[in-house]
Amino acid sequence: MKKFLSLALCLMFCFLALAGCSSLKDDEKGASIRMYFAEYPQTLDPALVQLNSDTEQILSMIFEPLTTLDENGKVKPALATEWYYKYDEIYQQHKMYFQLKTTSWSDKRVVRADDVIYAWRRILLPETDSPYAALLYPIKGARDVKSGIGTIDDLGLAAASDTLLEVTFENYYDIDLFAEIVSNIHLAPCREDIVTRCEKDGTDWAASATDIVCNGKFKVQTMDMPRTLSEAEKDFDNFSCRLMLERNSFYMRNDEDDALDKYVLPYRITCCFAEGQVAYYPDEKGSTQEAFQAKRFLAGEQYLLAGFNAETYKYFADSKKYDLETMRTLNGYAFYFNNGNEILSDANARKALSAALDRKGITDYIGVGNTPATGWVPTGVFNTDRKSDFRKTGGDKYSTGSDMDNARSLLDSAAKKSGTLTVTYLIPQNVETLSKYQRSLTYDNVYENIAKKAGEYWESLGFTIKYRGLNPADFLKALYTRDYDIIGVNIISGSADALTYLAPFAKEFSGASVSIDYTASDFPETFNTHYTNFDNAEYSEIIKTAVYESDRAKRAEALHKAEDMLTDLCPATMVFWYNRSYVASGEIGGYDDDASWFGYIDYTDLKLSDWRDVNSKEQSIEEERANAK
């Protein structure tokens, strides 16, 4: 028996020793792997309104929230290793504690509880536009802080120690439900020193690799894309246009003792965009981004392709050589109707526009495998628990086909039955990027295509439809100031909680910025409406019930009631839900597309066959290009 125990202990220590070993030699850092894994992001600030569905994939790689949801929807530790409840007998308060693991930001500074507190406080500031604010309202004082009548000091958040976060609730709250809520990537920690410095400089801390720091498994090494006129005027051949993520070498590591690739295998993942690359491929002049990326994949110059248009999607869907893999996300595309518009102030007019849409027709027209919406909340969102689906329980709220008879009947009941409506859509590229590259690339704007396809149905109702495309900065301005009739938006939730989708339509829970005159002796409590200008007292009361109710059955009942009312009053309508598709080369492995409930692909263990030879050849090509300039 003693011999057996000795052998077992020996084997165990050998295993642990091997687990800490690295396959890297000398000063090697690891594989550098080229992929087209996401569109170029406008900002990587997790707290703010996101314009691009792909941004969440990047956020999941560079940030880590307190918890996460595994492939079965079960809450798992992430930044927090454990959590527990405690009742404060002295102050009669309900508290929750999160114990944080030992890990560091990409600049080597230790991640602290104060970083989570700052991120959540920032979301709740009156001047911040964040659709995720209502998720934090169970916290003591959160609602008052957002309204402007409370101060940050009144918020029930404290650092019991550098690695222990204390949360105080308004009332008793189910800590398992709250642990589930904070799995949202948009509630990840944030660095106050970095954000404050950049705000003073008038720059976006999350739009530059120079400023952004990350607490996730990867860091942002390079973000190249023209953002100013001076950048856009740079010599064409000297601008790379790429997004480069590198291993966060301080993620969970003791950098003196641990192997460099102990927790994250690949050294670098690079996404090169057509902008700045077509100079090396003269035959690609006039190509679309999607066609360019597909050709580079087929040529073996990148190893994963996760962006398509109708043509390239069909090619790979029909291919016998490649397997097109698809997973659902929890994001969607919707139209907001400005309830302040003379025509759209009538719910029947709004419902008529919604009923007229052929959601399947639009989804098929786009041709990249998305799912026509049957309600505002997508499939995959929890009902009473992770094993019950909110959408399936609530049933279909929309028809996936056009119901013109119903639309005309609704319009007959509206105050105004005709008129001119302008549909605003996003132009994903900023002005500088377009001014520099539109002579070399074809920009096929999917959002414009969606708008014009929807416009065909609305013109059939008798409306005159006009179109307005806006670059990101102007698009956000139009959204924030409600300067639109109808606007097409990406609904980026990062959540399996129906509250995330439904709460923003309640004025008190919209998360929209609030202007407060703090110099006034008695400034009133105030909130701003949802971006649709929708404001309904009964709806707000339903959401208020759901926000502070942690009994899951009662909470689900309230949220279904809210979605029913939202469907009936129709301040907005969902068109389709996004799926994430990709094809991968046989040269890579180790990635996991089934690790997250949210549809994120996990690249932590990504491997490239013969990466030393591959990287050496690629480096030689880069050097030849540089010498040829």
Side-chain angles (χ1 to χ4, degrees):
M1 185 65 177
K2 290 181 179 179
K3 290 182 179 180
F4 176 78
L5 288 174
S6 298
L7 179 60
L9 287 170
C10 181
L11 289 172
M12 182 183 73
F13 285 123
C14 287
F15 174 78
L16 291 174
L18 288 171
C21 291
S22 171
S23 61
L24 303 178
K25 303 173 182 177
D26 302 323
D27 59 351
E28 289 181 335
K29 295 182 178 180
S32 180
I33 306 173
R34 295 189 180 191
M35 309 190 306
Y36 183 62
F37 60 88
E39 292 182 12
Y40 193 85
Q42 293 303 319
T43 180
L44 291 173
D45 188 335
L48 303 186
V49 173
Q50 297 290 342
L51 300 181
N52 183 347
S53 179
D54 279 355
T55 302
E56 277 201 338
Q57 172 63 56
I58 304 171
L59 294 178
S60 73
M61 300 167 72
I62 64 175
F63 290 112
E64 186 170 62
L66 291 174
T67 63
T68 189
L69 301 182
D70 68 12
E71 68 274 17
N72 298 312
K74 188 176 180 180
V75 181
K76 294 289 187 182
L79 176 59
T81 58
E82 61 176 338
W83 44 91
Y84 54 88
Y85 169 82
K86 182 178 180 181
Y87 182 69
D88 188 327
E89 295 282 356
I90 297 175
Y91 296 101
Q92 297 183 347
Q93 292 176 332
H94 300 277
K95 296 178 181 288
M96 181 178 186
Y97 290 86
F98 290 94
Q99 179 64 55
L100 309 189
K101 67 187 178 187
T102 301
T103 186
S104 297
W105 293 90
S106 52
D107 64 355
K108 203 176 180 178
R109 210 211 73 178
V110 174
V111 178
R112 303 187 179 104
D114 279 332
D115 297 326
V116 180
I117 293 172
Y118 173 70
W120 292 4
R121 284 178 172 178
R122 182 168 171 257
I123 288 172
L124 292 168
L125 287 174
E127 61 267 27
T128 302
D129 269 286
S130 179
Y132 314 104
L135 297 177
L136 301 173
Y137 271 27
I139 299 172
K140 180 178 178 293
R143 175 191 173 282
D144 289 344
V145 170
K146 191 63 183 178
S147 73
I149 67 170
T151 68
I152 287 297
D153 294 333
D154 299 323
L155 190 62
L157 292 174
S161 71
D162 279 351
T163 59
L164 188 62
L165 172 66
E166 178 186 277
V167 179
T168 303
F169 295 117
E170 285 282 3
N171 301 293
Y172 170 77
Y173 204 81
D174 182 350
I175 66 167
D176 292 330
L177 175 58
F178 195 71
E180 190 177 283
I181 288 171
V182 298
S183 66
N184 193 315
I185 191 65
H186 302 282
L187 301 181
C190 186
R191 283 276 292 279
E192 183 175 9
D193 57 327
I194 301 294
V195 177
T196 302
R197 173 174 57 79
C198 289
E199 285 178 346
K200 288 180 179 178
D201 296 339
T203 58
D204 181 356
W205 69 275
S208 166
T210 304
D211 298 314
I212 191 169
V213 290
C214 311
N215 80 311
K217 298 170 183 177
F218 294 89
K219 67 176 182 177
V220 181
Q221 178 61 26
T222 303
M223 287 181 76
D224 287 336
M225 193 67 81
R227 291 185 178 274
T228 65
L229 289 175
S230 60
E231 287 181 334
E233 290 167 357
K234 289 182 180 180
D235 179 67
F236 182 85
D237 290 343
N238 290 327
F239 213 84
S240 60
C241 296
R242 60 186 174 177
L243 173 66
M244 184 185 293
L245 305 184
E246 287 187 359
R247 176 195 300 121
N248 176 3
S249 56
F250 304 112
Y251 177 79
M252 290 183 62
R253 287 182 64 245
N254 179 329
D255 58 306
E256 294 181 356
D257 299 329
D258 293 335
L260 186 62
D261 58 352
K262 181 177 181 180
Y263 292 105
V264 184
L265 197 59
Y267 165 56
R268 176 182 292 168
I269 298 176
T270 302
C271 183
C272 293
F273 299 89
E275 293 88 348
Q277 297 296 310
V278 292
Y280 304 122
Y281 305 99
D283 59 321
E284 296 297 324
K285 296 284 185 177
S287 176
T288 63
Q289 179 80 250
E290 295 80 8
F292 178 89
Q293 299 295 348
K295 289 182 180 179
R296 301 280 67 77
F297 175 81
L298 292 170
E301 296 187 17
Q302 56 188 11
Y303 302 95
L304 184 139
L305 179 66
F308 307 90
N309 58 15
E311 181 182 6
T312 58
Y313 183 88
K314 186 178 186 307
Y315 174 86
F316 287 106
D318 294 342
S319 172
K320 295 181 180 179
K321 182 178 179 181
Y322 299 100
D323 292 325
L324 182 68
E325 303 288 349
T326 298
M327 66 210 79
R328 60 139 180 82
T329 72
L330 298 177
N331 302 324
Y333 188 84
F335 284 115
Y336 285 169
F337 302 129
N338 191 338
N339 291 206
N341 176 279
E342 184 181 7
I343 298 172
L344 300 174
S345 62
D346 191 316
N348 283 322
R350 301 193 297 265
K351 287 196 289 184
L353 293 173
S354 176
L357 290 174
D358 183 347
R359 292 171 173 78
K360 186 177 186 305
I362 293 174
T363 306
D364 290 345
Y365 178 66
I366 301 167
V368 292
N370 294 319
T371 302
T374 56
W376 185 258
V377 178
T379 299
V381 171
F382 300 159
N383 189 49
T384 55
D385 57 28
R386 63 188 175 90
K387 296 180 180 179
S388 61
D389 187 85
F390 187 91
R391 179 74 281 124
K392 189 176 293 185
T393 302
D396 293 348
K397 305 301 178 185
Y398 309 141
S399 169
T400 58
S402 178
D403 188 353
M404 293 302 287
D405 289 340
N406 184 33
R408 292 190 178 96
S409 176
L410 287 163
L411 196 57
D412 284 342
S413 302
K416 288 185 70 69
K417 301 172 178 56
S418 63
T420 300
L421 295 169
T422 298
V423 183
T424 299
Y425 60 86
L426 173 68
I427 300 174
Q429 300 79 22
N430 58 30
V431 174
E432 292 74 27
T433 300
L434 285 179
S435 66
K436 184 170 178 61
Y437 296 107
Q438 62 186 354
R439 290 188 299 273
S440 302
L441 292 169
T442 296
Y443 286 98
D444 182 15
N445 187 350
V446 65
Y447 304 122
E448 180 180 8
N449 296 340
I450 296 169
K452 291 185 174 178
K453 193 66 176 175
E456 293 178 10
Y457 305 119
W458 295 335
E459 285 175 339
S460 297
L461 284 177
F463 291 103
T464 299
I465 303 297
K466 295 183 178 180
Y467 303 93
R468 178 178 66 158
L470 297 178
N471 300 96
D474 292 330
F475 183 90
L476 282 174
K477 182 179 179 181
L479 183 67
Y480 291 160
T481 60
R482 286 69 169 168
D483 177 24
Y484 68 87
D485 297 335
I486 302 172
I487 191 168
V489 293
N490 281 315
I491 306 299
I492 314 299
S493 73
S495 179
D497 187 353
L499 182 73
T500 318
Y501 301 84
L502 299 167
F505 287 95
K507 183 177 181 179
E508 192 175 334
F509 306 93
S510 71
S513 61
V514 177
S515 296
I516 303 293
D517 182 6
Y518 290 103
T519 62
S521 58
D522 183 25
F523 55 86
E525 175 185 307
T526 182
F527 291 97
N528 210 342
T529 60
H530 181 259
Y531 301 122
T532 56
N533 278 318
F534 175 75
D535 186 12
N536 183 281
E538 184 181 353
Y539 184 86
S540 294
E541 280 301 311
I542 295 171
I543 293 299
K544 184 175 182 179
T545 298
V547 166
Y548 297 107
E549 178 61 71
S550 63
D551 180 284
R552 290 179 182 251
K554 293 178 181 178
R555 191 172 185 268
E557 182 181 0
L559 290 171
H560 280 293
K561 188 175 180 180
E563 191 190 36
D564 288 343
M565 183 173 287
L566 193 71
T567 304
D568 185 53
L569 296 176
C570 200
T573 190
M574 192 70 72
V575 183
F576 61 80
W577 300 315
Y578 282 103
N579 292 321
R580 180 169 288 115
S581 299
Y582 73 91
V583 288
S585 164
E587 298 299 311
I588 62 171
Y591 57 90
D592 189 351
D593 64 4
D594 195 29
S596 167
W597 189 259
F598 304 114
Y600 309 144
I601 302 176
D602 185 357
Y603 295 113
T604 309
D605 297 322
L606 181 65
K607 300 174 184 177
L608 173 63
S609 299
D610 301 322
W611 62 267
R612 292 179 176 85
D613 292 338
V614 171
N615 289 172
S616 178
K617 291 176 182 177
E618 290 177 351
Q619 181 63 32
S620 298
I621 292 173
E622 292 292 335
E623 291 173 355
E624 289 177 9
R625 287 175 174 174
N627 294 331
K629 291 181 180 179

